[in-house]
Amino acid sequence: MRFDIVTVLPELLESPLNYSIMQRAKDKGLLEVFLHHLRDYAPGKHRQVDDYQFGGGAGMVMKPEPIAACIDKLCAERAYDEVIYTSPDGVLLDQSLCNRLSMKNNILILCGHYKGVDERIRQKYITLEISIGDYVLSGGELAAAVLVDSVGRLIPGVLNDETSALFDSFQDNLLAPPVYTRPAEWEGMPVPDVLRSGHEAMIEAWRHEQSMERTQERRPDLWQRYLKSE
Ligand code: SAH
């Protein structure tokens, strides 16, 4: 799977995707991430990518021409399954959207900055607008990193059995159960007996029970979805 990310701050994206599972996915040839510096597509000495907004008001807006030049060039090279804009007014990213995106081959992500991008860019190029939560970031790069990480780990072959995504929170509309490692007793707190019993069916039942309890307590909204999906 290939991600092309269009940004004014490629530096922000270099490190987050170069470690752990993301780096392994790249090493295995399952994931490719290419960063495209928007300033390379801006003309003039100053390579200006933003301008004042029509109608007045604080904050700059990203100019359409450099973005269009960059996206046009990328789209001439390959067909994209989605051209995504990261934006607080997009659809909320959740695990089912991650699952869906992990089945694509080529995804282009445009990162906004300042007040965002000129609306006409969104109209002309963007096929999917994604928000990573109801809060405002200063730029789309961190959102893009979240997107590549959460989608990239779902590409078949990226995770091994030990890190399997099947048992993660949200995968079945339930939160994950609590987990423990050694020592069996720490600061007077023992690991639940059942986890040390070696009895697989009982362990599975306990985990499911804990998942349901947690979801009911912490995420009533998710719990309702779980009940409907059962
Ligand atoms: N004025 C805009 C916010 C601009 S924030 C508004 O109120 O909607 C600058 C950029 O950061 C955005 O263009 C977007 O690319 C990114 N961004 C901010 N919050 C985000 C979020 N919750 N999810 C995804 N991207 C976000």
Side-chain angles (χ1 to χ4, degrees):
M1 178 170 195
R2 174 180 171 127
F3 286 93
D4 285 280
I5 306 181
V6 177
T7 166
V8 285
L9 272 173
E11 298 83 359
L12 266 182
L13 275 160
E14 269 152 21
S15 166
L17 302 173
N18 285 349
Y19 292 94
S20 178
I21 290 168
M22 289 304 107
Q23 185 56 48
R24 254 184 291 146
K26 289 197 247 174
D27 292 343
K28 286 189 197 167
L30 299 170
L31 174 70
E32 288 180 297
V33 182
F34 294 91
L35 305 177
H36 305 276
H37 200 327
L38 205 49
R39 281 194 206 283
D40 294 343
Y41 297 84
K45 199 172 72 185
H46 298 294
R47 304 215 164 258
Q48 189 186 351
V49 292
D50 59 336
D51 208 339
Y52 295 101
Q53 53 173 319
F54 275 111
M60 305 295 273
V61 174
M62 289 172 76
K63 289 167 69 59
E65 304 93 320
I67 299 174
C70 182
I71 296 184
D72 282 341
K73 176 175 170 272
L74 292 173
C75 287
E77 288 163 3
R78 67 185 45 74
Y80 287 95
D81 300 300
E82 297 286 359
V83 179
I84 295 174
Y85 176 50
T86 57
S87 185
D89 60 8
V91 292
L92 274 178
L93 182 64
D94 65 7
Q95 196 64 24
S96 78
L97 181 51
C98 293
N99 287 341
R100 194 153 67 72
L101 292 174
S102 71
M103 284 177 278
K104 309 284 186 192
N105 295 317
N106 294 303
I107 290 183
L108 193 158
I109 305 175
L110 171 63
C111 303
H113 254 276
Y114 320 111
K115 295 299 279 182
V117 303
D118 187 289
E119 186 66 19
R120 292 164 294 184
I121 286 292
R122 300 171 69 163
Q123 286 166 357
K124 176 161 181 199
Y125 293 105
I126 303 302
T127 60
L128 181 60
E129 301 184 328
I130 294 181
S131 164
I132 64 158
D134 288 342
Y135 42 81
V136 178
L137 302 164
S138 43
E141 287 73 17
L142 296 181
V146 167
L147 198 56
V148 175
D149 186 301
S150 57
V151 172
R153 64 197 289 283
L154 296 172
I155 301 169
V158 169
L159 298 184
N160 51 32
D161 275 353
E162 277 167 53
T163 49
S164 168
L166 288 177
F167 305 105
D168 283 336
S169 286
F170 308 117
Q171 209 51 264
D172 49 6
N173 287 322
L174 288 177
L175 300 177
V179 291
Y180 298 86
T181 185
R182 285 180 288 186
E185 183 167 332
W186 179 74
E187 305 241 327
M189 291 179 278
V191 169
D193 283 338
V194 56
L195 294 180
R196 305 179 62 205
S197 68
H199 193 303
E200 264 182 52
M202 267 167 59
I203 292 173
E204 202 183 311
W206 181 86
R207 286 182 170 153
H208 189 58
E209 196 61 38
Q210 292 284 321
S211 276
M212 292 199 296
E213 242 172 63
R214 262 196 183 189
T215 310
Q216 244 175 314
E217 263 171 39
R218 299 180 184 202
R219 291 292 303 274
D221 57 321
L222 209 56
W223 179 243
Q224 287 310 316
R225 249 193 279 166
Y226 170 75
L227 291 179
K228 272 191 214 131
S229 68
E230 274 306 279

